[in-house]
Amino acid sequence: MAIKYLPMTKQDHKDIKRLITDAWFSDYPFKEKYIKLYASGYLNMYLGEADYEMVAKDGDKVVGFIFGNIKKAPFKQRFVAKLKLYFYFIYMLFSYPGRRGIKITLITDKVNKTLLKPYKKTHKNELILFIVDETYRGMGIGSTLEKMYTEKLKENGINNVFLFTDTYSNYQYYEHRGYERKGALPVDFGLKNSEIDPVSEYYIYIKEL
């Protein structure tokens, strides 16, 4: 198996949304159209922040990807992503799954800002989103993607990187990669069907390069 590491293209978006869905939304008891909206919304939210987007491919299939920032996403990219998000937001207001997704996003954003506050002046670069297909884990794909990103940061004279994660994710992976947990906050989304929202804490991790 020869894994290729390439800059993301628009053609990769479909596979990336599949990976987002598999990682976060596969157990949500909602119609497929809402799951697709979740995945598309999150993809555009993160594309509005990232200027580093790398994918790992097995043939033509995206099996992993990483989004981060080094400087700032280009203006056109930020504008298009935010415009799409606006329409997603309006559409989602008219359904329970949509309002639920908006609520989770707003609470998460507030918690993340609180976690970052002590480091905001000195830590500008974020590993924004990082997913590897479950069937391809343990092959070094994630480690390669993460190393490529941090090496690019160092090439640009950047000496640290931060990320947000939570109890639903494999946060121990980052500890093995040299990230140190710097903060934790409990989270209660106040949702009735909380069994499909197992996040109980959010974390900020920082790596000195």
Side-chain angles (χ1 to χ4, degrees):
M1 182 190 302
I3 301 296
K4 300 174 291 185
Y5 298 90
L6 303 164
M8 183 200 71
T9 67
K10 190 174 287 188
Q11 287 68 39
D12 297 324
H13 287 190
K14 183 178 179 180
D15 270 349
I16 290 173
K17 286 187 281 189
R18 170 184 56 81
L19 291 173
I20 290 173
T21 299
D22 290 345
W24 293 343
F25 308 126
S26 60
D27 58 350
Y28 277 27
F30 301 134
K31 292 180 180 178
E32 185 180 359
K33 69 176 182 178
Y34 295 116
I35 301 301
K36 287 182 177 180
L37 277 171
Y38 280 0
S40 295
Y42 274 95
L43 173 60
N44 281 282
M45 182 170 68
Y46 293 125
L47 285 178
E49 302 172 13
D51 68 336
Y52 180 93
E53 302 130 0
M54 191 68 63
V55 299
K57 285 189 168 184
D58 181 7
D60 292 328
K61 179 183 178 183
V62 176
V63 297
F65 68 94
I66 190 168
F67 292 172
N69 53 38
I70 295 170
K71 294 181 181 178
K72 197 173 185 179
F75 173 78
K76 182 180 178 180
Q77 178 178 315
R78 285 184 282 126
F79 178 79
V80 170
K82 289 181 179 180
L83 185 63
K84 288 182 178 180
L85 270 179
Y86 173 78
F87 287 108
Y88 285 129
F89 180 86
I90 296 299
Y91 183 82
M92 292 176 80
L93 280 175
F94 294 95
S95 69
Y96 166 72
R99 291 191 298 273
R100 176 184 173 282
I102 292 170
K103 180 178 182 180
I104 290 174
T105 301
L106 293 176
I107 291 173
T108 298
D109 183 61
K110 183 177 180 180
V111 171
N112 286 347
K113 285 179 178 177
T114 302
L115 286 168
L116 181 61
K117 190 174 182 181
Y119 308 99
K120 191 172 182 180
K121 291 183 179 180
T122 54
H123 295 73
K124 305 291 185 183
N125 298 89
E126 179 184 0
L127 196 170
I128 296 168
L129 187 58
F130 182 27
I131 298 176
V132 174
D133 190 314
E134 189 173 359
T135 59
Y136 285 79
R137 292 174 191 171
M139 300 180 184
I141 295 171
S143 298
T144 300
L145 285 169
E146 191 271 343
K147 184 177 180 181
M148 291 174 69
Y149 174 51
T150 54
E151 288 297 323
K152 193 70 174 179
L153 289 173
K154 288 192 282 187
E155 287 174 16
N156 282 268
I158 297 163
N159 59 14
N160 58 53
V161 60
F162 72 91
L163 61 87
F164 300 113
T165 187
D166 54 56
T167 50
Y168 189 57
S169 305
N170 181 19
Y171 56 86
Q172 296 94 339
Y173 170 83
Y174 298 109
E175 295 170 1
H176 292 309
R177 295 294 301 168
Y179 291 79
E180 183 180 353
R181 188 188 301 176
K182 294 292 188 178
L185 282 175
V187 178
D188 179 6
F189 292 117
L191 300 168
K192 293 179 181 179
N193 53 338
S194 58
E195 69 276 2
I196 63 169
D197 297 292
V199 174
S200 58
E201 278 193 319
Y202 272 84
Y203 306 129
I204 183 170
Y205 278 82
I206 289 175
K207 183 176 184 177
E208 302 297 335
L209 305 177

